[in-house]
Amino acid sequence: MNTKLLNKNDIDEAAAILRSGGLVGIPTETVYGLGANGLDPRAVGRIFEAKGRPQDNPLILHVPSADWLERWCVDVPETAYTLAGRFWPGPLTMILKRGPEVPDVVTAGLDTVGMRCPDHPVCRAILFAAGVPVAAPSGNTSGRPSPTTAAHMMEDMDGRIDAIVDGGPCAVGVESAIIDLTVTPPRLLRPGGITLEQLREVLGEVAVDDAVTRQMADGEKPRAPGMKYRHYAPKAPVTVVAGEAIFSAAWIAAHAGEGDGVICFDEFAGQFPAQTVERLGPTYDHAEHARRVFDALRAFDKTDVPAIWAQCPDISGLGLAVTNRLNKAAGFHIVEV
Ligand code: AMP
Ligand code: MG
């Protein structure tokens, strides 16, 4: 299959491919998504094939506005509309009770469905033009870092999908926050573009799922099936070095081998002359870390570094999502300094 590179003016063509059962790479404010008509089980099935994604890892339904919640969900709580009013369009996915018309393949057979209204002009235009909810996970091959540019998505999906729409680099850079509203108190399943602090401001108490901060043991049943899989990983093994930035930098400088890869904050980039360095941005700029983290991980796959050492932000604001992605990329191989 020849994967067409479309641009922001090709909205109608992208929507037509989706309506006819094809797969389209779609820019969003978080990461590029791999979209299919969410009402067409065959089209959705092709997403799993293109990514090599395990069948028990559910997808998110993307809609152009909160009005669509009633069409695809049942027993929608008032808090869902409050959150939508505050954060939609935006990087927040809500887990709600699924309606009867949502195909099993979208939810991996769960009785809940993830709903999101993305904040990207090109994505919104495609959703409106398609007129159907678009099922999409991130547009990477399963297990690899998520794509934040059309070129990154092309690396993984060239020849496997019908088209990718280039909407420029993603403004947020990490995936949506996922909040489960079917439990009390609401539970954060994945930290993301809307922060835990923002969610607590609106909801009061919010529980944080265990899977956010630690690896699931074999045989343990996670709340979302996808949580148990290896994620975001470059080819070389990653070790996260957690702690005060000056100490983690010193630890990496003392332990990294010649020719290893290092992910570090800008202020420390000069401390690794014998290593290949990818910068995350200034130490306290979590928004920049979020924009940079997947690009940094992905960049090492173009090198032959045998190992990667990563500094890691504190967990305030977007730092929680960045820390979670780095820890998962490392398979929770973490050194505390
Ligand atoms: P991705 O954005 O590529 O990680 O794919 C969608 C994410 O949403 C995965 O982490 C899924 O586990 C999660 N997800 C989708 N639907 C549900 C659901 N009904 N319950 C819990 N998590 C979900
Ligand atoms: Mg993903």
Side-chain angles (χ1 to χ4, degrees):
M1 178 189 295
N2 186 18
T3 301
K4 246 185 165 179
L5 188 60
L6 302 178
N7 66 48
K8 62 182 188 342
N9 301 314
D10 300 324
I11 303 297
D12 291 340
E13 186 171 353
I17 297 171
L18 288 170
R19 273 198 309 269
S20 66
L23 298 186
V24 181
I26 293 174
T28 80
E29 79 280 29
T30 58
V31 303
Y32 275 71
L34 177 47
N37 177 353
L39 303 180
D40 177 345
R42 277 208 12 217
V44 174
R46 293 181 55 216
I47 293 177
F48 291 85
E49 272 170 46
K51 282 185 60 108
R53 185 179 177 97
Q55 296 283 342
D56 66 353
N57 193 358
L59 310 179
I60 292 167
L61 272 191
H62 295 75
V63 293
S65 80
D67 303 344
W68 287 44
L69 284 179
E70 248 125 277
R71 295 202 218 170
W72 314 111
C73 306
V74 293
D75 301 340
V76 179
E78 203 45 47
T79 47
Y81 293 103
T82 309
L83 287 173
R86 178 81 190 270
F87 300 121
W88 276 10
L92 178 68
T93 296
M94 300 189 236
I95 304 299
L96 296 164
K97 275 196 199 146
R98 114 198 219 193
E101 284 162 70
V102 178
D104 273 343
V105 60
V106 171
T107 67
L110 298 175
D111 58 4
T112 55
V113 60
M115 302 294 295
R116 170 159 128 81
C117 176
D119 184 17
H120 188 294
V122 175
C123 180
R124 281 169 69 75
I126 293 171
L127 291 173
F128 275 116
V132 291
V134 169
S138 53
N140 51 285
T141 301
S142 211
R144 293 203 75 212
S146 305
T148 53
T149 64
H152 287 170
M153 185 159 176
M154 199 56 99
E155 281 173 13
D156 285 15
M157 290 299 150
D158 195 10
R160 301 176 153 266
I161 64 176
D162 297 279
I164 298 174
V165 183
D166 190 348
C170 299
V172 176
V174 292
E175 297 88 341
S176 58
I178 301 182
I179 183 113
D180 187 346
L181 297 180
T182 68
V183 293
T184 310
R187 175 175 289 258
L188 184 72
L189 300 183
R190 173 174 78 184
I194 297 297
T195 66
L196 180 58
E197 292 90 334
Q198 286 175 299
L199 292 168
R200 284 187 169 147
E201 225 176 81
V202 175
L203 295 172
E205 194 184 354
V206 174
V208 177
D209 200 90
D210 269 357
V212 171
T213 48
R214 66 176 181 83
Q215 186 149 38
M216 299 271 100
D218 283 349
E220 212 173 335
K221 197 170 182 308
R223 170 81 198 151
M227 288 173 165
K228 66 184 181 232
Y229 294 110
R230 186 162 186 253
H231 253 101
Y232 315 123
K235 287 172 202 141
V238 180
T239 303
V240 168
V241 183
E244 267 311 309
I246 45 166
F247 298 125
S248 59
W251 194 96
I252 294 172
H255 291 81
E258 204 177 314
D260 281 356
V262 172
I263 295 176
C264 69
F265 302 121
D266 289 357
E267 295 89 331
F268 305 97
Q271 297 189 16
F272 313 105
Q275 285 81 25
T276 302
V277 170
E278 284 292 326
R279 296 168 175 227
L280 275 185
T283 302
Y284 297 105
D285 187 350
H286 292 340
E288 185 63 10
H289 306 159
R291 278 188 291 272
R292 289 282 310 131
V293 64
F294 287 132
D295 296 19
L297 288 165
R298 195 170 265 269
F300 287 114
D301 283 351
K302 293 211 168 68
T303 73
D304 52 8
V305 299
I308 299 165
W309 308 86
Q311 284 192 288
C312 179
D314 68 70
I315 60 169
S316 65
L318 281 173
L320 182 63
V322 175
T323 299
N324 169 265
R325 304 311 188 270
L326 283 170
N327 286 347
K328 287 192 143 215
F332 286 87
H333 190 239
I334 304 165
V335 176
E336 305 267 359
V337 295

